[in-house]
Amino acid sequence: MGSENSTYERLKTIAVSCVNPCAIMKVTRNADKSLGEIRIFAANDRFSLTGEPIEGELYTKFIPEEPEFNDMCYKAAFEGKRFHTYVDATRMVGGWSENLILPLVSDEENIGYCQFIYEVTSDMEPGKFSAVNPVIAGIILKSCLTLRNGIDFEANLDTVMEDIREFTDALSVSLVMLNNEKKKAKIQSQSVRSGAIAAEQLITMVPYEIAESWERLVGESDCFIIRDKGDLDKAEEFAPEWAKLLKAEDAQSLCLVPLHQKTETLGYLLATNFDISRVNAIKETMEILGLFLSSEIANHMFLKRLEWLTSIDMLTGVRNRASMNRVVDELAARTKYSKIPFGVAFCTMPGLKILNDTDGHDAGNEALQKAGSVLRDVFDETEVFRSAGEEFAIVVEDITSSDFEKKIELLRKLGSDPDSVYFAIGFTADEKSGDVRKALREAYRQMADEKMTFYEQYPEKAV
């Protein structure tokens, strides 16, 4: 029963975190590998159209049974497949239903889980793109197929940026993503004409405040274009600092297209110094691609968020050991080919065992929760892992040795209470060798030494 409750709590968290109507389907498989039944295991409040209790019920009590839906749920739960479909549900709910079915982790052989999300739209607007020039339709179709080809989304984006740059004959094409919560702008993908200076100089040197000003440039339209000095003067009116930079970089032409998801601006698609004689075709292409990119990027971000939610340690709020192993494997593979600066650390709570013995496990759990909070205050939540009972690991990419050491010193300061949260820490920052596993071994050795020093300083806390 405890395992069932733990699974329910984990999957309920995923369902509740979803903005759209969402249900976690529990799929049972018979001994002969055929489909048993599909029940609604957990759901958010938006999933039930009537507001009645639905958890634990067969899905067919609320949704007409469809063999295709059964097959998709089965394959998602037991074969790890994903499905994205549109269904004409006009008769039932008054519109088209966009459905997403995603696989979820299960520890049981014949019980699987999948996440079912839907969104009802009033109209698919099938004629919206019917008059698109065949040449433009070709580049759009190619880009869409590329984005859905394989599992390396970042590499697919790079290919799409290269295709757009060649089609527009631009100096550069960049995908600039906004992190509105952290107030940061970042080039997610970019293609630059061979022999040209990387156009990222136009962006990476621009603060978030300037990237944020692009919204004023675009206004209520689908894009902002610079064709001549008059357009550049308009840019100077709404975004003077950015216009100054464009003039310094001798930008002759520019097309800026926002990527929207509902009411949020995810980022911008930006082409610089393109073939101005084809401005109308380029504008149309960039605008339509912006729509498709917005959808694909939002879906990718959602899947990444879902991956994070399913890899979290519920007690401490940091990621679990399985996700740590995956991150380390991926970083080790990348550093074989390029020396990415990184920092790694291990930290343990040497006083936790005696705290559990003297004050009980509730006190120990409270200390672990505080420890997770401290670690997340110092590092990003994606960089911290609970590697064992009272041990945590930290893996940070693209950070200098000095910046990493400053974070470690702050962690020492915040984790210095021997009666609550005290960390024995070992760390290594690497900007040259790229040997992640060697760095982890060294950090672990240092942590073990600090742990022994702690017991020498506080012998009453030794186990």
Side-chain angles (χ1 to χ4, degrees), residues 330-395:
E330 291 173 356
L331 180 57
R334 289 200 304 277
T335 51
K336 283 183 179 179
Y337 305 103
S338 61
K339 298 299 181 275
I340 303 170
F342 65 85
V344 297
F346 275 105
C347 53
T348 187
M349 301 172 66
L352 185 65
K353 180 64 167 63
I354 197 70
L355 182 64
N356 279 330
D357 292 344
T358 57
D359 295 348
H361 285 282
D362 286 345
N365 286 342
E366 184 178 345
L368 282 167
Q369 289 173 335
K370 289 181 181 178
S373 178
V374 168
L375 286 160
R376 285 182 281 112
D377 284 343
V378 178
F379 296 94
D380 189 86
E381 61 186 11
T382 63
E383 300 168 341
V384 185
F385 310 85
R386 188 179 180 188
S387 54
E390 70 274 15
E391 289 180 2
F392 298 86
I394 299 161
V395 181

Side-chain angles (χ1 to χ4, degrees), residues 116-133:
F116 172 51
I117 305 161
Y118 75 86
E119 179 176 9
V120 176
T121 56
S122 59
D123 192 356
M124 278 283 287
E125 300 182 9
K128 187 170 184 178
F129 305 117
S130 60
V132 171
N133 180 295

Side-chain angles (χ1 to χ4, degrees), residues 24-293:
I24 308 300
M25 299 296 185
K26 181 178 181 180
V27 186
T28 304
R29 181 169 60 181
N30 297 324
D32 62 356
K33 305 299 183 182
S34 63
L35 175 64
E37 61 180 24
I38 302 175
R39 291 186 178 272
I40 300 173
F41 186 66
N44 62 15
D45 293 337
R46 293 171 290 282
F47 189 82
S48 174
L49 295 175
T50 62
E52 64 186 303
I54 60 175
E55 292 182 354
E57 300 285 353
L58 290 169
Y59 89 90
T60 51
K61 182 176 179 180
F62 309 99
I63 304 171
E65 183 171 14
E66 287 286 346
E68 189 174 338
F69 181 81
N70 292 348
D71 186 59
M72 288 189 290
C73 286
Y74 182 92
K75 289 179 177 178
F78 295 108
E79 298 177 16
K81 294 185 177 181
R82 301 172 180 174
F83 298 92
H84 182 202
T85 63
Y86 288 94
V87 176
D88 186 356
T90 306
R91 292 183 182 179
M92 189 165 56
V93 293
W96 282 79
S97 174
E98 180 181 5
N99 304 323
L100 192 62
I101 299 176
L102 304 170
L104 295 172
V105 174
S106 173
D107 297 326
E108 299 181 64
E109 181 180 357
N110 289 317
I111 293 178
Y113 300 93
C114 63
Q115 184 176 20
F116 172 51
I117 305 161
Y118 75 86
E119 179 176 9
V120 176
T121 56
S122 59
D123 192 356
M124 278 283 287
E125 300 182 9
K128 187 170 184 178
F129 305 117
S130 60
V132 171
N133 180 295
V135 176
I136 296 175
I139 184 67
I140 292 169
L141 179 59
K142 183 182 179 183
S143 298
C144 292
L145 292 174
T146 298
L147 287 173
R148 297 194 175 195
N149 178 33
I151 60 175
D152 192 341
F153 187 76
E154 305 297 334
N156 292 344
L157 275 179
D158 292 342
T159 300
V160 170
M161 294 302 109
E162 179 71 12
D163 290 342
I164 298 173
R165 190 193 61 75
E166 291 180 355
F167 177 79
T168 59
D169 193 25
L171 175 71
S172 73
V173 171
S174 306
L175 176 64
V176 182
M177 298 302 297
L178 302 182
N179 186 324
N180 297 308
E181 184 178 343
K182 296 185 177 181
K183 305 294 183 183
K184 290 183 179 179
K186 172 189 175 184
I187 286 189
Q188 190 70 30
S189 181
Q190 182 182 69
S191 173
V192 182
R193 186 185 300 159
S194 178
I197 298 175
E200 65 181 3
Q201 294 178 8
L202 293 174
I203 307 299
T204 54
M205 301 301 292
V206 178
Y208 171 83
E209 289 74 17
I210 291 181
E212 193 178 31
S213 71
W214 295 345
E215 186 172 353
R216 297 195 295 272
L217 279 174
V218 175
E220 296 299 320
S221 65
D222 293 328
C223 73
F224 174 76
I225 292 182
I226 292 179
R227 306 174 185 80
D228 50 33
K229 184 179 181 300
D231 292 327
L232 189 55
D233 289 342
K234 180 182 177 183
E236 191 166 20
E237 178 184 350
F238 288 95
E241 293 299 319
W242 191 49
K244 186 186 301 182
L245 183 60
L246 291 174
K247 288 180 178 180
E249 296 289 343
D250 194 29
Q252 302 296 317
S253 58
L254 180 142
C255 183
L256 181 70
V257 175
L259 307 180
H260 295 303
Q261 181 65 15
K262 299 187 184 298
T263 59
E264 182 182 6
T265 301
L266 301 178
Y268 292 87
L269 183 61
L270 175 67
T272 59
N273 292 0
F274 54 84
D275 181 1
I276 197 69
S277 68
R278 298 167 52 228
V279 63
N280 290 333
I282 289 172
K283 174 180 181 292
E284 184 178 9
T285 303
M286 295 278 284
E287 287 176 345
I288 298 175
L289 277 172
L291 293 174
F292 285 106
L293 277 171

